[in-house]
């Protein structure tokens, strides 16, 4: 971005340079002349100069003089010299003699007096430059007062040249100056028209314009052929600064549609140089005329926002989809050209506008960042950690923790023996994630209120570090479940109310649960046994073992320990185990998997006997074939490290889609990807995903293929095709063959520090000179850390930061409360901080 | 012969019999017992030699007026045992909670007898192996290739019994009184023997030599009954609340400053004691004169022949005669028992009372000889607390850890954490750690980064002076950079002549934290371990060489550094910028979005959410995050016209800020017209 900015700045500087290369006297700044005679004799023909006459002493004109002096340099750029002429005492000529002439400035071209200005019209540099140029550019800039005047000028210009019409609330303002400076450069190309009449502004703009801000229109009169119609107008949508006006005029001057016949990657137009996108209308020989009309139509719509180019596909060998008809090239370096299939011109306009909006925001952000850098990174002390901020905003709310027992070093061990199962949250009362979990924990306590045999408790490790250390808790938060006579279990699931509640409830039953009778086993598969768990829906898993297969059983039991709390596991190894396995046509050792309340029971032989393999197999078998992906369940599917085929749906998916997708998921390609769907109503963050994937919003449902782990390309299933297994499969084949172009690619960016830190080292170096002498570790490693030493000496520099801070601190007294007590009492003495040292 | 069979631990070398132990500790004072406890816990073969019949014999005598000036704070409002040790200056470190000093005394400044009692309990309850009534009178070396350090230490006690050790820990303290010799010094009473009964001083005029706590303590005791007390010493008085050094004059003893400044007859003088001379007159009164006047005189000729200063200068300050002169000049290390070959040399300058040691507490002269306790104070004399129980209990532990690594292959204890715990682990330590707090600028916590900065290893309380030797001394590797966490007072804040009460002495703003004056945590970041040369060339008054980056956590009135915005946020930014990563926490929903829209995830999501430990967050919390503009609420937004979610998740409220151009007021015009 800044590179582009530089580009237009440099071209502008060039223009100004041309303007200022008009012959001049060579002296810089203000010139002094000893007497009026000397001044007039030195005037060159055709050369403008602003003169003011002062008696030897004139204290009254002093502020005015300062302004004149500081504007001398600005005016010099336009070839206008500023001269201070001293009036000898005895002089009684026209300029020196009269009292009131001394309060004026005179503008000469050669020796001809063009205008005299009362000093009160020249109150600052802006007003001086604006007024002087206004007087000099009398022909180039017409001043109008009525709509009729404006229309007259417009009519005269039609078919000949374009008009720049500007409204400024008052003359002598910065905007006025910007308009005049632009007129100085462009005055010969375009007709400039200026007004200060608010009525005229209202007549020329739609809606209710703000009369207090300036406004500039470019009127395309050169192209206007119909004398009855007003010229087309394009407003400058940005504040009136010389840079913005220059940019606007450059854009208006560029051809409406550029015809190109080379690789779009290599094309660069004025638009791209000025940081605007370039839209390519991809054309073919057959449709060339129509495409050209479309391009012109779009170009008018996008005037000032983007450039439009017409690209003949016949002339360029493009390696893109044949269907694509529009391409978008953004000015950002390294951003690939997007090729799109769009249906009408509005989509093009929306595309560009959305794109610009994002850019605008980013730009503003950047500008803010830049500003901030000037102000010593004031954002640094604004919290940007969502968890920390949320917790501190919530800190005044009293948590309903009556259900949660507070444990201490004294009562910890005695409390553990009170309930069958004690859940302990180890946390630190100053740590945000701990406190966030504590909030969910209080909700869990509320859910589980009255459940027998469960005691919820907490230990604040900030109060009892010895206890936490003894329990080997090194990280916060940690949740442990202590059961009588058993080893404690550390919770390793999501820090959420539901997940934790379910874990605690499931943990009550041993895992795996030994089932004693056939009836129990059947009841278990139906989800009716044991009664503690009947209210909780879970997929049930039953291991069947003939007594002989003890090795598999050991592995299964060990796996149960690992999966305890996450999976409902039972096992059956009574004598009639064979009968049970026959019923589900497997032979032991095997696992029976009862999904959705035992309506379907699946039998899987248990062939592997290592604990790790059994755990992995159980985890894998528990995954759904075509799951609804949600925030809590995504990680399980991420671990498969496969591409995702996601159906985004606004609400539930239809039976049809569900059926087709299931077919797809169960098919032979099942191993290669995760087929899933996302309910935007239930998981609204999906909107955020879609917004990242597509510049324009696709209609829902939309099917998307994402290579999350390899390359990050995102492909959109063509919206015109219906989602059937066949269509999707053939589309996927095309994807695999590289025949489809990705809609977008996921950012590969690293997670860098969001904001810089305070550079204390640099601050110390400026004030502790001996430190820089000891810069042995890495000389030249970080040049930024060796700022030039200021010569002020110790105390002078020490006061630096405090002076800076005074203004800001006065503005925000709330901050001072952060200070310590001695500071509270001495708020008015901020400025002197540390100078006493 | 029967002795030689004794447990097989006796051996005969050149005719003499030696009892062997891996570790010999000389002295069963606080430092000796602390070392014994640590050796015992580690299961090492050690013995402690104590010349007295009980531990802490120094405390049985001193301080003479029996009031310890180490604080024994009963209440801090906190139950954190580690934090509370910051305000318990008497306890030794042990696992036994009965051995906390506050269980022995309720006095804020406890009685010295309580200390003796405490040390007795410490030795007996923990069953420390102390050999009492054994005064080591000679220490020498025996060269041996096999020995840990190339030599054994041979110790001889008062009964000519010999002992042999691989490593010698000297915890003998400082007990040899400092004596100044000048003409008339024979009239001077020593602190060791002077009466502590104020009645003995009634109506007397007293001169005290010295200006330390013992001098003021002595004065305090007799202040109310003397005519007046004068106190003379070379240097001006150093007040501990101005120097932030607990060994300087403590406010509890400074009654004489009051009576001096309020012109209640007592007074303070500066002068070199070496120039002094004392003459006794016939009435037994002691007159101060200068050595200079005595040089060519025969003192025996009587007082009348000697010039007194007031003869020439009739308003000489100490012209009044004194009834008593008391010497309170402190103590020095007993160098006498070491053989020349051990090269136990006194330090130079103001640390000449201490033996020369390295920052690792090992003797400069002899490998394998470590000095513990008060005698090791040369490392941080007049700076930190290494000369006092609340300091050397930690330096002793550090020495023990060095020895465990050196001789037993037990690396310095450390904990490995995922990088997401980096900010937390620092915040936890700076808020509660007592060793860092007491031994500020001497002991430091070290964070060793693992490759790619995904994890780190945390080492506690390492002696910062030997940072360059870290890998060798701890058995841990530091190839990927390190953080050093240390506590510091502001530079130029402390000093005998400093005004520590000036307005705005405390910094409140995190951005000016580097100017903090009171004790506060400082974190140094090095991309690689500093070398010994860099350590040597470090800036004056700096504990460490110039780092690659430095962070100060702003001083805090409550020494509670847990404020999310003033303390934790700037620390996180510092750590993030050193590691070039994003250490923010995210709710699971954000991680979900990142998982689908970015190829890489921030560490918090990577190490939490992806491993099924995502932070779901309660409804209220997510609502707060949305309100803060740090979390996007997608349930209510329509698609168009909103910002792109890919641009960083940062503060949206700033983006929402009105971008309208401010209307330029035309007041210039008005002003100009007014003129």
């Amino acid at each position: 971005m800044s590179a582009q900015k530089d580009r237009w700045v440099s071209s502008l500087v060039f223009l100004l340079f041309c303007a200022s290369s008009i012959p001049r006297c060579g002296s810089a700044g203000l010139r002094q002349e000893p007497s009026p005679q000397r001044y007039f004799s030195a005037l060159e023909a055709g050369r403008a100069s602003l003169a003011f006459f002062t008696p030897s002493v004139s204290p009254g004109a002093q502020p005015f003089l300062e302004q004149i002096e500081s504007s001398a340099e600005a005016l010099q750029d336009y070839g206008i010299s500023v001269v201070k002429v001293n009036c000898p005492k005895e002089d009684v000529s026209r300029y020196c003699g009269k009292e009131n002439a001394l309060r004026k400035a005179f503008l000469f071209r050669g020796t001809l007096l063009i205008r005299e200005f009362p000093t009160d019209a020249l109150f600052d540099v802006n007003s001086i430059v604006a007024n002087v140029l206004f007087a000099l550019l009398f022909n180039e800039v017409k001043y109008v007062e009525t709509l009729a005047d404006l229309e007259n000028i417009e009519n005269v210009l039609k078919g000949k040249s374009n008009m720049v019409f500007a409204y400024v609330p008052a003359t002598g303002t910065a905007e006025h100056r910007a308009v005049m400076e632009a007129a100085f450069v462009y005055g010969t190309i375009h007709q400039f028209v200026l007004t200060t009449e608010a009525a005229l502004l209202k007549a020329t703009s739609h809606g209710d314009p703000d009369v207090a801000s300036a406004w500039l229109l470019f009127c395309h009169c050169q192209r206007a052929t119909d004398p009855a119609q007003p010229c087309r107008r394009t407003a400058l949508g940005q504040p009136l600064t010389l840079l913005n006006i220059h940019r606007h005029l450059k854009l208006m001057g560029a051809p409406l549609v550029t015809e190109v016949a080379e690789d779009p990657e290599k094309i660069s137009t004025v638009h791209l140089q000025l940081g605007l996108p370039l839209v390519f209308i991809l054309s073919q020989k057959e449709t060339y005329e129509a495409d050209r009309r479309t391009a012109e139509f779009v170009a008018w719509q996008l005037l000032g926002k983007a450039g439009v180019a017409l690209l003949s596909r016949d002339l360029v060998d493009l390696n893109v989809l044949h269907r694509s008809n529009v391409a978008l090239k953004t000015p950002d370096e390294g951003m690939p050209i997007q090729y799109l299939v769009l249906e009408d011109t509005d989509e093009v306009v929306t595309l560009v506008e959305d794109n610009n909006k994002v850019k605008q925001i980013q730009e503003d952000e950047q500008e803010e960042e830049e500003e901030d850098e000037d102000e010593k990174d004031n954002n640094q002390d604004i919290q940007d950690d969502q968890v920390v901020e949320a917790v501190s905003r919530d800190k005044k709310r009293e948590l309903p923790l009556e259900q949660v027992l507070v444990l201490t070093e004294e009562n910890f061990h005695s409390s553990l023996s009170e309930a069958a199962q004690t859940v302990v949250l180890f946390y630190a009362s100053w740590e945000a994630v701990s406190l966030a979990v504590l909030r969910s924990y209080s909700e869990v306590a509320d859910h589980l209120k009255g459940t027998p045999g469960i005691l919820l408790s907490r230990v604040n490790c900030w109060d009892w570090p010895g206890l936490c250390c003894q329990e080997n808790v090194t990280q916060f938060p940690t949740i442990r479940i202590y059961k009588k006579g058993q080893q404690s279990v550390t919770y390793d699931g999501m820090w959420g109310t539901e997940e934790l509640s379910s874990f605690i409830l499931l943990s009550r039953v041993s895992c795996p649960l030994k089932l004693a009778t056939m009836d129990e086993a059947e009841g278990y598969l139906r989800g009716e046994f044991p009664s503690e768990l009947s209210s909780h829906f879970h997929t049930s898993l039953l291991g069947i073992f003939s007594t002989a297969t003890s090795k598999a059983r050991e592995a299964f039991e060990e796996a149960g320990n690992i999966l305890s709390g996450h999976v409902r596991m039972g096992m059956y190894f009574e004598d009639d185990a064979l009968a049970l396995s026959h019923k589900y046509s497997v032979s032991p050792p095997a696992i029976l998997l009862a999904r959705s309340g035992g309506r379907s029971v699946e039998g899987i032989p248990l062939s592997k006997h290592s604990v790790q393999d059994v755990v992995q197999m159980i985890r894998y078998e528990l995954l759904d074939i075509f799951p609804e992906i949600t925030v809590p369940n995504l990680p399980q599917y991420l671990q498969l490290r496969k591409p995702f085929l996601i159906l985004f749906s606004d609400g539930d998916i239809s039976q049809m889609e569900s059926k087709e997708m299931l077919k797809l998921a169960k098919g032979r390609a099942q191993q290669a990807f995760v087929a899933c769907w996302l309910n935007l109503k239930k998981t609204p963050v999906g909107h955020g995903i879609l917004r990242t994937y597509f510049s324009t919003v696709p209609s829902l449902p939309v099917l998307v293929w994402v290579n999350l782990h390899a390359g990050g390309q995102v492909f959109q299933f063509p919206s015109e095709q219906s989602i059937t297994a066949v269509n999707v499969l053939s589309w996927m084949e095309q994807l695999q063959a590289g025949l489809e172009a990705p809609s977008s690619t996921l950012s590969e960016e690293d997670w860098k520090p969001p904001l810089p830190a305070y550079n204390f080292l640099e601050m110390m170096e400026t004030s502790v000179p001996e430190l820089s002498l000891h810069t042995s570790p890495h000389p030249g490693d970080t040049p930024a850390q060796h700022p030039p030493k200021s010569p002020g000496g110790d105390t002078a520099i020490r006061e630096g930061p405090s002076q800076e801070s005074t203004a800001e601190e006065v503005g925000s007294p709330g901050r001072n409360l952060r200070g310590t007590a001695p500071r509270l009492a001495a708020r008015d003495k901020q400025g002197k901080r540390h100078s006493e040292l | 012969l029967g002795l030689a069979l004794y447990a097989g631990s006796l051996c005969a070398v050149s005719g003499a019999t030696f009892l062997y132990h891996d570790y010999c500790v000389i002295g069963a004072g606080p430092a000796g017992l602390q070392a014994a406890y640590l050796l015992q816990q580690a299961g090492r073969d050690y013995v402690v030699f104590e010349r007295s019949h009980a531990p802490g014999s120094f405390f049985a005598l001193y301080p003479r007026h029996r009031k310890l000036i180490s604080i024994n704070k009963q209440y801090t409002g906190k139950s954190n045992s580690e934090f509370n040790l910051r305000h318990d200056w008497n306890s030794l470190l042990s696992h036994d909670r009965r051995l906390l000093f506050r269980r022995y005394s309720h006095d804020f400044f406890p009685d010295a007898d309580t200390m003796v009692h405490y040390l007795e309990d410490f030795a007996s309850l923990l069953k420390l192996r102390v050999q009492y009534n054994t005064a080591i009178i000679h220490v020498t070396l025996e060269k041996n290739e096999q020995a840990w350090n190339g030599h054994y230490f041979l110790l001889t006690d008062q009964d000519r019994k010999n002992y042999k050790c691989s490593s010698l820990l000297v915890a003998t303290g400082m007990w040899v009184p400092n004596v100044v010799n000048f003409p008339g010094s024979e009239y001077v009473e020593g602190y060791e023997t002077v009466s502590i009964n104020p009645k003995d001083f009634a109506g007397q005029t007293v001169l005290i030599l010295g200006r330390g706590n013992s001098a003021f303590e002595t004065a305090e005791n007799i202040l109310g009954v003397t005519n007046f007390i004068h106190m003379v010493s070379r240097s001006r008085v150093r007040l501990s609340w101005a120097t932030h050094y607990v060994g300087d004059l403590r406010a509890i003893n400074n009654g004489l400053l009051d009576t001096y400044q309020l012109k209640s007859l007592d007074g303070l003088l500066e002068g070199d004691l070496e120039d002094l001379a004392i003459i006794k007159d016939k009435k037994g009164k002691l007159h101060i004169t200068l050595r200079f006047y005595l040089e060519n005189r025969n003192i025996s000729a009587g007082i009348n022949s000697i010039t007194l200063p007031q003869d020439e200068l009739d308003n000489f300050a100490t012209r009044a005669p004194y009834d008593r002169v008391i010497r309170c000049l402190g103590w020095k290390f007993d160098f006498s028992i070491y053989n020349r070959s051990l090269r136990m040399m006194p330090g130079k300058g103001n640390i000449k009372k201490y033996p020369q040691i390295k920052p690792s507490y090992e003797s400069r002269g002899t490998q394998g000889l470590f000095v513990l306790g008060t005698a090791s104070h040369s490392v941080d004399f007049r700076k930190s607390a290494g000369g006092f129980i609340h300091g050397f209990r930690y330096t002793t532990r550090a020495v023990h850890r060095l020895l465990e690594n050196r001789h037993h292959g037990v690396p310095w204890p450390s904990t490995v954490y995922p990088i997401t715990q980096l900010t937390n682990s620092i915040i936890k330590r700076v808020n509660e750690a007592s060793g860092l707090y007491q031994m500020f600028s001497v002991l430091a916590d070290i964070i060793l980064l693992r490759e790619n900065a995904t994890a780190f290893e945390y080492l506690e309380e390492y002696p910062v002076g030997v940072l360059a030797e870290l890998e060798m001394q701890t058995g841990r590797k530091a190839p990927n950079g390190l953080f050093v966490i240390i506590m510091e007072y502001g530079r130029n804040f402390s000093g005998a002549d400093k005004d520590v009460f000036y307005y705005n002495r405390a910094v409140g703003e995190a951005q000016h934290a580097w100017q903090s004056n009171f004790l506060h945590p400082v974190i140094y970041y090095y991309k690689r371990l500093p070398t010994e040369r860099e350590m040597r060339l470090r800036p004056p008054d700096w504990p460490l060489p110039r780092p690659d980056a430095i962070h100060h956590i702003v001083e805090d009135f409550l020494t509670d550094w847990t404020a999310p915005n003033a303390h934790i946020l700037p620390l996180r930014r510092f750590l993030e910028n050193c590691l070039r990563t994003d250490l923010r926490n995210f709710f699971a929903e954000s991680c979900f979005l990142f998982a689908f829209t970015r190829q890489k995830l921030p560490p918090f999501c990577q190490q939490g959410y992806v491993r099924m430990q995502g932070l779901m967050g309660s409804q209220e919390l997510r609502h707060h995050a949305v309100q803060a503009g740090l979390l996007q609420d997608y349930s209510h937004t329509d698609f168009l016209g909103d910002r792109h979610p890919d641009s960083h998740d940062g503060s949206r409220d700033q983006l929402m800020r009105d971008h309208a151009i401010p209307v330029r007021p035309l007041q210039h015009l008005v002003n100009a017209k007014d003129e």
Side-chain angles (χ1 to χ4, degrees), chain B residues 210-232:
Chain B
R211 191 157 292 172
N213 275 302
S214 61
F216 276 90
E217 166 207 316
T218 306
E220 192 83 14
N221 185 44
I222 56 174
L223 200 59
V225 296
T226 52
N227 298 334
F228 54 82
I229 304 167
H230 285 169
M231 199 178 263
V232 64

Side-chain angles (χ1 to χ4, degrees), chain B residues 78-139:
Chain B
K78 291 191 169 69
S79 62
N80 186 316
S81 49
E82 177 70 16
F83 175 89
N84 287 343
L85 272 179
R86 288 181 173 187
H87 307 291
D88 171 354
W89 293 4
N90 297 292
S91 298
L92 294 178
L93 304 176
S94 78
H95 62 278
D96 193 335
R97 278 195 291 158
R98 288 173 298 173
L99 290 168
L100 284 176
F101 206 83
R102 66 186 152 90
R103 291 172 189 260
Y104 285 77
S105 170
H106 293 290
D107 297 331
F108 189 53
F109 293 106
D111 193 273
D113 293 337
T114 317
M115 176 58 77
V116 176
H117 178 51
Y118 173 82
L119 294 176
E120 277 168 7
D121 272 10
F122 192 88
S124 60
L125 278 174
L126 297 170
K127 301 190 174 63
L128 303 180
R129 291 193 283 278
V130 185
Q131 189 175 320
Y132 295 104
N133 303 311
T134 309
I136 299 301
I137 53 163
H138 192 68
V139 179

Side-chain angles (χ1 to χ4, degrees), chain B residues 468-666:
Chain B
E469 302 159 20
L470 180 116
E471 295 195 335
M472 186 264 281
Q473 297 280 17
T474 64
R476 307 279 175 192
K477 295 277 163 272
N480 301 302
L482 65 155
F483 291 101
V484 180
I485 297 124
I486 200 166
M487 300 194 82
E488 290 178 7
Y489 277 98
R491 304 192 205 291
N492 289 318
F493 182 52
S494 313
D497 51 350
K498 295 284 167 61
D499 173 12
V500 285
F501 293 106
Y502 68 88
Y503 269 109
N504 296 313
R505 59 194 166 276
V507 173
E509 296 284 332
Q511 56 183 321
H512 304 141
W514 68 277
Q515 294 171 307
S516 294
N517 281 321
F518 288 93
L519 195 62
H520 64 282
V522 185
I523 297 125
Y524 291 73
Y525 171 64
Y526 296 96
K527 288 179 183 154
R528 51 169 190 76
L529 204 58
T531 62
E532 268 176 65
R533 188 186 130 80
E534 281 160 10
M535 285 298 289
R536 250 195 335 272
L537 296 176
R538 65 182 189 262
D541 294 333
W542 277 57
L544 287 166
R546 185 184 186 279
D548 290 298
I550 194 167
H551 183 70
H552 288 251
I553 301 180
V554 69
E555 59 184 309
D556 192 80
F557 195 53
L558 304 174
T559 64
D560 175 344
W561 288 281
T562 59
N565 288 313
H567 303 140
I568 303 179
L569 176 66
L571 173 65
R572 167 167 66 81
R573 295 217 189 285
F574 167 74
L575 299 172
E576 280 172 337
N577 280 281
C578 291
L579 304 176
R580 307 296 308 149
T581 187
D582 186 333
L583 294 176
R584 286 180 293 179
N585 305 306
F586 294 96
F587 287 115
E589 186 179 302
S590 298
C591 294
F592 179 85
L593 180 70
F594 299 149
F596 271 118
T597 56
R598 315 263 303 225
Q599 296 199 41
K600 290 174 182 158
L601 288 178
F604 187 82
C605 294
Q606 190 67 49
Q607 298 184 351
Y609 181 70
V610 171
R611 297 182 183 169
M612 291 185 258
Q613 289 242 287
L615 182 65
M616 300 299 290
S618 68
Q619 200 66 46
E620 287 96 348
L621 286 185
R622 280 181 310 195
H623 178 70
H624 283 306
V626 168
Q627 281 203 320
L630 294 168
L631 187 67
Q632 179 93 286
D633 183 8
Y634 292 98
S635 53
H636 298 300
T637 51
D638 62 336
F639 272 50
L640 282 171
D642 214 322
R643 62 183 285 255
H644 206 266
D646 196 35
S647 57
H648 40 152
D649 215 43
S651 17
R652 193 165 52 125
D653 45 357
Q654 287 163 41
L655 304 174
M656 298 272 193
R657 215 190 280 155
D658 196 1
H659 284 296
I661 328 120
V663 177
R664 198 145 296 183
L666 299 174

Side-chain angles (χ1 to χ4, degrees), chain A residues 405 407 411-422 453 455 484:
Chain A
L405 186 68
L407 296 185
N411 68 4
F412 182 77
H413 293 283
S414 60
S415 300
L416 290 190
S417 54
E418 268 167 30
Q421 181 171 318
T422 309
L455 175 70
K484 272 186 209 158

Side-chain angles (χ1 to χ4, degrees), chain A residues 812-823:
Chain A
S812 56
R815 284 183 166 198
N816 285 326
L817 292 174
R818 254 199 250 154
T820 49
R823 279 274 306 288

Side-chain angles (χ1 to χ4, degrees), chain A residues 123 173-174 212 239 354 358 364-365 379-390 393-394 409-410 430-431 433 436-437 439 443 462-465 474-476 491-496 630-631 634-636 639 646 684-685 687-689 691-693 697 708 711-712 746-748 750-758 760-761 763-765 767 771 774-775 777-778 781 785-786 798 801 805 808-809 818-823 826 829 833-834 837, chain B residues 78-80 97 417-418 421 424 427-428 431-432 502 504-515 517 527-528 534 537-540 542 546-548 550-552 557 562 564-566 569 572-574 576-577 580-582 584-590 592-602 609-610 612-616 618 620-621 624 628 630-631 634-635 637 639-640 642-645 648-649 654-655 659 661 663-664 666 668-669 672:
Chain A
F123 44 86
T173 56
D354 282 357
V358 173
D364 290 345
E365 238 165 42
N379 274 347
Q380 284 170 310
D381 53 11
I382 295 173
Q383 186 59 258
D384 53 0
D385 184 311
Q386 49 184 228
V387 180
V388 176
E389 182 64 18
R393 280 176 185 234
D394 198 45
E409 231 155 56
E410 276 82 37
W430 49 266
E431 201 255 335
V433 176
V437 169
R439 277 155 179 78
E443 292 175 6
W462 167 227
D463 288 334
W464 308 105
T474 55
Q475 292 185 31
F476 316 120
Y491 177 64
D492 58 355
M494 288 277 167
W495 299 114
T630 59
V631 172
L634 172 70
Q636 300 168 21
Q639 288 189 335
I646 321 168
V685 65
H687 287 292
I689 301 172
R691 246 180 266 179
T692 313
Y693 288 174
V697 187
L708 280 185
L746 303 188
S747 162
E748 241 186 313
D750 282 319
W751 286 85
K752 288 270 147 59
L755 283 171
Y758 298 125
F760 288 141
L761 198 58
M763 296 180 205
M764 290 167 102
E765 270 174 353
S767 82
L771 181 59
H774 296 265
T775 54
H778 310 289
D781 199 25
Q785 300 207 333
H786 305 268
R798 279 248 171 82
S805 61
E808 166 203 311
E809 277 158 7
R818 254 199 250 154
T820 49
R823 279 274 306 288
K829 293 188 179 170
R833 189 132 58 98
H834 285 277
L837 280 177
Chain B
K78 291 191 169 69
S79 62
N80 186 316
R97 278 195 291 158
Y417 298 93
Q421 292 290 319
N424 281 352
I427 291 291
K428 175 180 149 66
N431 276 296
E432 64 182 29
Y502 68 88
N504 296 313
R505 59 194 166 276
V507 173
E509 296 284 332
Q511 56 183 321
H512 304 141
W514 68 277
Q515 294 171 307
N517 281 321
K527 288 179 183 154
R528 51 169 190 76
E534 281 160 10
L537 296 176
R538 65 182 189 262
W542 277 57
R546 185 184 186 279
D548 290 298
I550 194 167
H551 183 70
H552 288 251
F557 195 53
T562 59
N565 288 313
L569 176 66
R572 167 167 66 81
R573 295 217 189 285
F574 167 74
E576 280 172 337
N577 280 281
R580 307 296 308 149
T581 187
D582 186 333
R584 286 180 293 179
N585 305 306
F586 294 96
F587 287 115
E589 186 179 302
S590 298
F592 179 85
L593 180 70
F594 299 149
F596 271 118
T597 56
R598 315 263 303 225
Q599 296 199 41
K600 290 174 182 158
L601 288 178
Y609 181 70
V610 171
M612 291 185 258
Q613 289 242 287
L615 182 65
M616 300 299 290
S618 68
E620 287 96 348
L621 286 185
H624 283 306
L630 294 168
L631 187 67
Y634 292 98
S635 53
T637 51
F639 272 50
L640 282 171
D642 214 322
R643 62 183 285 255
H644 206 266
H648 40 152
D649 215 43
Q654 287 163 41
L655 304 174
H659 284 296
I661 328 120
V663 177
R664 198 145 296 183
L666 299 174
H668 295 296
L669 271 177

